[in-house]
Amino acid sequence: MPPPDRIELRGLHLVGICGALPEERDRAQPLEIDLDAEVALRRAGESDDLAHTVDYGALCDVVAAIVRGGRPQLLEHLAAGIAEAVLAADQRITSVSVAVRKLRPPVPHALATSGVRITRTA
């Protein structure tokens, strides 16, 4: 069986509250999100019709609404909320992987990013 088709969104930059430290609770920080949505794309590939695929912009809107609408302490919780919302947004999505990274993690080390990646299925 061939691997599943997938829509890949990379490097969505948003600003949101996420963290347990006091400075993370008071000030929004830059986040970067990657999303892989498994969805059958054969029909879209054959028809060249947007109605036969999942709208990338709509997926970005779903992710942005979750980031802007919440104040989680954990990246894990934020990623799970995004995954749940993406699966609910379009019934054709059978699985989603979400990576969320803090671009300025509050640690006393030269760390470029910190993040999590989760996968959820419908």
Side-chain angles (χ1 to χ4, degrees):
M1 178 167 20
D5 299 332
R6 182 177 16 246
I7 291 173
E8 299 180 354
L9 305 178
R10 295 288 179 267
L12 177 59
H13 287 242
L14 298 167
V15 176
I17 299 288
C18 184
L21 298 176
E23 64 264 25
E24 294 178 297
R25 304 307 300 157
D26 294 336
R27 183 181 34 194
Q29 63 183 297
L31 303 167
E32 183 178 61
I33 298 161
D34 295 338
L35 187 78
D36 291 344
E38 289 187 3
V39 58
L41 298 175
R42 178 181 299 274
R43 190 168 177 206
E46 292 170 350
S47 70
D48 198 28
D49 185 342
L50 180 60
H52 297 153
T53 191
V54 176
D55 185 329
Y56 311 158
L59 287 181
C60 290
D61 290 343
V62 167
V63 174
I66 296 299
V67 170
R68 292 184 183 126
R71 297 176 56 90
Q73 292 188 65
L74 301 178
L75 286 173
E76 293 87 343
H77 186 75
L78 178 57
I82 291 169
E84 183 179 310
V86 167
L87 287 171
D90 194 306
Q91 303 301 322
R92 296 173 291 184
I93 299 172
T94 58
S95 176
V96 63
S97 291
V98 178
V100 181
R101 288 179 294 283
K102 292 182 180 183
L103 298 179
R104 290 192 295 247
V107 297
H109 304 282
L111 181 64
T113 66
S114 62
V116 300
R117 178 179 298 274
I118 66 163
T119 301
R120 299 291 183 267
T121 56

